Each structure stands twice: as C-alpha cells, then as structure tokens.
Amino acid sequence: MENRSSTAISNREFFIRRLSQEYPAFVDVCSALPADKLDYRPHPGSRSAGELVAMLVSVQQSSIELCEKGSSSFNNGMQWHPTSPLTTLDQMIAAFELHHQALVEKLYRLDDVTWDRPAWLMQGKQEIIVKDTIGGLLWIALFDAVHHRGQLSTYIRPMGGKVPSIYGPSGDAPARR
C-alpha cells in the first residue's frame, strides 16, 4: 500500500483541480468572440469560430458520456450552423457552463478504480481510434480543448474583439485574479 502525505492528491483529484482552473479562461475566450462573426475562419481549411465553440461544448458532452459509459465518440457532438437559432454564442456558452458543472459532479462521484478503468474513443459506431483509461482519455480531451481554446483566442482580435487574460495579461486585458 502506498503511503501518501496529507498534501498528495490522486490523478483524478488533480484533473478536477486543473479542469476547474481552466474553466474561467474557456468562458472568457468564448465570451470575447463577437457573436455576429462566428463564421470567421482565418483560412478555408480552418474551423470557423462557431465550429470551435461548438466543438468545445461537444468535448464536455463527450467527457460526461465517457465518465458514464467508459467509451465516447467525439464525432457525435454539437454542430454549429450559422442559420440555426439553436446555436447562438450565448446558447453555446450556457451549454458549456452546464456541461462543465455536470462533468465536475460526475468526476467527484467517480472513484479512482473507475478513473483507471480501460476506456476508448470511437470514430463512428465501430472503429476504436484511441484506447486508454477513463482518466487518460479525459486528460487527452482537456489538452485538446486547451489547444483549441488557444486557436480560438487567435481569432478574437481579427474578428474585432478584445483578447481576455488566459494565463497572464493579454494585449487587451490585465492578468486574471
């Protein structure tokens, strides 16, 4: 049996802490986007701002599913279509906030044995594209979301918005407190 000091935390507990610390920057970056310019993309091969926000919401949904079932498909998430009234920026941010809270609640209910259970990421209904543990896949999802948040943050200024603080001050905002 491993003897941990009272300050040591499990990988799952560290993930919850990191996810909670990253959360405000996700909301700030999404909120800084001009809502009427979500079709902006810096290159024809790039996702639009709206598609990136929808993808961040989808990652939250898929992470909840992963906690519940041990498998998930990140392809089945929310899609953004500029003509749909169901995917305004405010609605996507509200969905992100609700999914974040639900994910954190699920993570607190998971024990470390479940966190370390084998899990997989599916493409479609049959092809397994990544195998790991539930915790390992949740870390991959968080790293991917942080990457895409960074990508999205580079869209803000060309769209006419002000870049918020993420890890420190930006050219438009002081450091987060």
Side-chain angles (χ1 to χ4, degrees), residues 7-124:
T7 59
I9 61 174
S10 71
N11 184 272
R12 181 186 57 82
E13 292 165 329
F14 180 62
F15 179 83
I16 295 168
R17 180 184 293 176
R18 188 75 251 146
L19 180 69
S20 298
Q21 289 169 337
E22 296 292 342
Y23 170 72
F26 279 105
V27 174
D28 289 351
V29 166
C30 292
S31 297
L33 295 166
D36 62 337
K37 296 181 181 174
L38 294 181
D39 58 347
Y40 172 80
R41 64 181 78 232
H43 183 275
S46 300
R47 287 186 173 113
S48 72
E51 290 167 340
L52 285 170
V53 176
M55 187 191 69
L56 293 175
V57 173
S58 178
V59 167
Q60 292 280 327
Q61 289 172 320
S62 296
S63 294
I64 292 167
E65 182 181 318
L66 183 62
C67 289
E68 292 171 347
K69 297 195 291 187
S71 68
S72 185
S73 174
F74 289 119
N75 294 341
N76 293 339
M78 182 175 182
Q79 298 294 313
W80 179 75
H81 302 287
T83 58
S84 171
L86 301 175
T87 54
T88 67
L89 183 60
D90 286 341
Q91 289 169 327
M92 288 190 290
I93 293 170
F96 183 87
E97 292 172 328
L98 285 172
H99 294 323
H100 171 78
Q101 186 60 38
L103 177 58
V104 169
E105 288 172 12
K106 289 208 178 295
L107 289 167
Y108 275 118
R109 287 195 300 264
L110 280 184
D111 58 23
D112 289 335
V113 171
T114 304
W115 175 262
D116 289 329
R117 261 194 206 136
W120 48 91
L121 179 62
M122 306 288 291
Q123 181 167 333

Side-chain angles (χ1 to χ4, degrees), residues 158-174:
M159 292 172 67
K162 303 242 183 246
V163 179
S165 169
I166 296 174
Y167 294 119
S170 76
D172 299 323

